[in-house]
Amino acid sequence: MVSAPAAVVIGGGWAGLAAAVAATRAGWRVTLLEASRHWGGRARRLTLPDGRGGRLPLDNGQHILIGACGATLGLLEALGVPWQRHLQRLPLALPRPDGTGLILPGWATRMPAPLALAATLLTARGWGWGERAAALGRAARWMAAGFTCPPQATVADLCTGLPARVVDELIEPLAVAALNTAPATACGTTFLRVLRDALRAPAPAGLAPSDLLLPRGDLGALLPDAATAWLAARGAELRLGARALALARRGGRWHVHLADGAALAAEAVILATPAPEAARLVSTWAGDPACPAPEATAVRGWAAQAKALAHVPIATIYARAPRGWRWRWPQPMLALPNEARPAPAQFVFHRGENTAAADGALLAAVVSSPDPSWDGDREGLAAAVTRQLAAALACPGVQALATLVERRATFACTPGLRRPAAHIAAGLLAAGDYVAGPYPATLEGAVRSGLAAVEVLRGDPLA
């Protein structure tokens, strides 16, 4: 009896979890390695002080999905996760605390996404008819062009001639939420691709592709817990605290050398680590005397591409409102007027179902790509955000609980960016939201990359 081929997946974030599940389903014997002591990567559970003397399961950063995230929702369904209970569905809206901004009118909730967007723009609160007409006209122009633009165009270029209010209250929040990059440098092509999918991509029954899906609890309960339990039940080997040091190939098999001195042999390896770590690992193979010269050159080229990616941070400030203060908006997410220094957060989320005034609401404020002047000054950033929340939400006395900064949260999604391919060498693949693909650095991009790596692997005759 011929045993199933072995695959080692290095990295237990969402890309690695997706790859491990897909490889297991495809009949591979999977070993999943994670250097840290937790699963989930940059979208994982943390236990943080709750401001009341206890601790809360929260996340290392606030994340959202949309109805067009078909790969992620499909993976959750395959794992038996009742995502409808774990995710709160909201029609796409960008309301501001003062009641202005974009809110889908109730009479348009059952409309197809393009018509719902038109209804939202036509009824945008605080906008004049000229601003509404300009936004609708530009959206129609993008649709007529098939959501394409010149490859070097930025999001700011796409907005040339639009009223400032349309850019400030529609385009900039969408670009920051989707690409984590300011419009002046964000890739127009990727922005339009995300917008196209949000309007036209298929979505599960009951969802519009543009619907926002906000986690009701911590992210660990959404994918990592379910994926690791599913993998363990099917015989996959799961190792936390297992750091890979080097790669080698001998006799047609890959060997993964670990920090504890052990080595794993497999027909295939999927690198689902951050780009710099993947570059380091493949460079160990390129520097191995056994690596053929042409392959070493190609692998070094791949590593150079991965190392060249610029990364930007995202900060999440968890805060507790004072007892007696209530979250009074119907949506749990608000867009915030922002400035780099005095008011740096772009969004604030109300965390949890309980709005009882006696408990004090738990808030999560998000600062995408903080101004470089905040680098290393978490206390100052938290103080600025709490002042911003106090003013914008009429919430004096709001208190920061924790400031989390993911320094390599996303790659800078700029025009003409060259992203590394999934295929590195025979039987050696990469997965991660930075790998070449249509999506920016999102959970959906990570999951898609993990699934795609296994598809490439299945067609690799040497794996």
Side-chain angles (χ1 to χ4, degrees), residues 410-429:
T410 71
F411 61 85
C413 191
T414 53
L417 179 67
R418 294 184 64 211
R419 294 159 63 178
H423 186 271
I424 304 171
L428 181 61
L429 284 299

Side-chain angles (χ1 to χ4, degrees), residues 35-335:
S36 73
R37 295 292 177 181
H38 52 254
W39 303 108
R42 286 167 287 151
R44 65 184 185 273
R45 175 193 297 116
L46 294 177
T47 303
L48 299 172
D50 65 0
R52 299 285 184 261
R55 299 187 72 83
L56 282 172
L58 293 168
D59 302 308
N60 68 312
Q62 179 69 48
H63 292 265
I64 61 174
L65 298 167
I66 63 173
C69 291
T72 304
L73 297 177
L75 177 60
L76 293 174
E77 287 189 350
L79 296 173
V81 176
W83 58 262
Q84 297 89 342
R85 295 206 304 263
H86 286 274
L87 297 169
Q88 181 179 1
R89 171 188 174 272
L90 300 170
L92 177 62
L94 294 169
R96 291 190 165 195
D98 63 1
T100 61
L102 303 177
I103 302 173
L104 180 68
W107 49 266
T109 54
R110 296 187 178 276
M111 287 183 170
L115 294 180
L117 175 62
T120 301
L121 296 177
L122 281 172
T123 58
R125 299 177 184 179
W127 288 19
W129 283 109
E131 292 161 330
R132 295 172 184 175
L136 278 171
R138 191 60 55 93
R141 188 192 306 178
W142 291 338
M143 289 184 193
F147 293 96
T148 61
C149 67
Q152 294 303 318
T154 65
V155 173
D157 294 332
L158 300 178
C159 300
T160 301
L162 282 175
R165 188 159 199 168
V166 174
V167 176
D168 292 344
E169 298 187 14
L170 173 63
I171 304 300
E172 184 169 352
L174 286 178
V176 169
L179 278 65
N180 299 301
T181 308
T185 56
C187 176
T189 297
T190 306
F191 175 78
L192 290 178
R193 170 60 188 261
V194 173
L195 184 60
R196 185 198 74 181
D197 283 3
L199 295 177
R200 294 182 174 175
L207 290 182
S210 60
D211 282 345
L212 301 179
L213 302 173
L214 274 60
R216 295 182 185 274
D218 65 84
L219 290 166
L222 188 58
L223 178 67
D225 290 354
T228 52
W230 187 95
L231 288 164
R234 285 155 182 81
E237 185 177 355
L238 310 177
R239 296 193 191 181
L240 289 172
R243 183 168 185 260
L245 291 184
L247 302 175
R249 191 171 63 205
R250 302 288 188 271
R253 301 192 84 201
W254 286 99
H255 297 262
V256 181
H257 296 276
L258 304 181
D260 64 5
L264 303 174
E267 281 72 27
V269 174
I270 297 176
L271 300 178
T273 66
E277 178 65 5
R280 184 193 67 78
L281 282 169
V282 301
S283 295
T284 64
W285 166 234
D288 190 318
C291 183
E295 183 169 313
T297 299
V299 169
R300 288 191 181 101
W302 189 95
Q305 256 191 337
K307 287 191 290 188
L309 293 173
H311 289 81
V312 293
I314 297 178
T316 301
I317 292 85
Y318 287 108
R320 176 74 76 180
R323 298 181 189 274
W325 183 89
R326 285 183 180 273
W327 179 272
R328 58 188 181 277
W329 297 270
Q331 311 87 355
M333 169 185 170
L334 296 172

Side-chain angles (χ1 to χ4, degrees), residues 14-15 18 42 65 69 71-72 411 419 431-452:
W14 285 45
R42 286 167 287 151
L65 298 167
C69 291
T72 304
F411 61 85
R419 294 159 63 178
D433 57 17
Y434 68 91
V435 171
Y439 271 39
T442 59
L443 296 179
E444 175 72 359
V447 169
R448 286 189 179 212
S449 75
L451 302 179

